[in-house]
Amino acid sequence: MDVILLERVEKLGHIGDVVKVKDGFARNFLLPRKKALRANEANRKVFEANRERIEADNASRRTDAQAEAKTLEGVSVTLIRQASNTGQLYGSVAVRDLVEALVADGHKVNKAQVVLDRPIKAIGLHEVRVALHPEVAVTVKVNVARSPEEADMQAQGVDVMAAMFEQDTAGFTEDYDPNAEPGEIARDDAPAVGEEA
């Protein structure tokens, strides 16, 4: 199906472009969300008559998005979640959690703007893209940790999981007697095997 784009659509085209898309994509996404019109003569005339207004509306929304992007740039969000000793979360961090954290910080973000390819399922620092407008996107850092102290360590660049599993070289070592019987407790004053007490 050929459609006329009413706004920029990523990996598809810009305002006014006539593009060929699959019927389902047009019917289920582009047309209901008013991102495109069917490409026929009547719609071409309507688009050309309203082109200046559509481009002006897009420009005003883009400037609003750029202003919001300046407030979001370099923002870091900390989320405290329960996790196993291996760093796997019990559950996951989804778009809703990120939106709630950003709104709590005073940013204007909705669920449709957060681009999360897959849910976050492990502790650590993650980068999430926030598309405020089809032409304006910002990257937000998400710090997922088990405690505020762990979040501070991760923010300073410490790999918490590696630090937790470091081997202690100066630790306790057990004396090993190759001649001891199973279950026997080693004693310092015990005679060596073959000697009499």
Side-chain angles (χ1 to χ4, degrees):
M1 175 186 298
D2 289 339
V3 295
I4 304 168
L5 296 179
L6 297 177
E7 66 179 52
R8 181 181 179 274
V9 178
E10 197 169 335
K11 299 180 182 172
L12 199 56
H14 297 281
I15 296 175
D17 290 352
V18 177
V19 293
K20 184 169 188 64
V21 296
K22 293 192 175 182
D23 292 350
F25 183 58
R27 278 195 310 263
N28 298 325
F29 181 74
L30 295 175
L31 298 176
R33 296 184 187 202
K34 309 277 190 250
K35 293 179 183 280
L37 293 172
R38 289 179 192 267
N40 57 32
E41 284 306 312
N43 283 341
R44 281 193 179 98
K45 289 177 185 172
V46 168
F47 175 76
E48 289 304 325
N50 295 323
R51 184 181 196 110
E52 291 175 8
R53 182 185 56 79
I54 292 169
E55 288 179 351
D57 288 348
N58 183 52
S60 68
R61 283 183 297 153
R62 183 176 53 234
T63 55
D64 292 345
Q66 287 170 339
E68 181 64 26
K70 287 182 178 145
T71 64
L72 268 175
E73 205 160 307
V75 167
S76 179
V77 176
T78 302
L79 298 172
I80 306 300
R81 296 286 185 267
Q82 292 182 344
S84 68
N85 289 339
T86 59
Q88 295 298 312
L89 296 179
Y90 299 132
S92 63
V93 175
V95 171
R96 180 178 43 98
D97 302 321
L98 299 173
V99 170
E100 288 172 2
L102 288 169
V103 169
D105 281 353
H107 302 288
K108 296 175 190 163
V109 177
N110 62 42
K111 285 170 50 172
Q113 295 172 327
V114 176
V115 181
L116 190 62
D117 297 331
R118 57 187 168 275
I120 298 171
K121 294 188 175 194
I123 65 170
L125 292 172
H126 305 276
E127 291 190 348
V128 176
R129 192 166 152 262
V130 178
L132 299 169
H133 182 269
E135 300 170 27
V136 180
V138 177
T139 302
V140 174
K141 287 188 180 3
V142 180
N143 187 349
V144 182
R146 290 178 283 206
S147 67
E149 296 81 20
E150 195 173 86
D152 291 340
M153 288 173 59
Q154 287 181 164
Q156 295 167 6
V158 176
D159 185 0
V160 176
M161 296 313 297
M164 190 167 84
F165 288 111
E166 276 183 3
Q167 296 296 323
D168 187 10
T169 56
F172 171 77
T173 58
E174 186 176 344
D175 288 336
Y176 174 69
D177 182 6
N179 297 324
E181 292 292 323
E184 185 179 331
I185 298 174
R187 296 189 311 252
D188 293 335
D189 61 335
V193 175
E195 288 183 14
E196 301 229 355

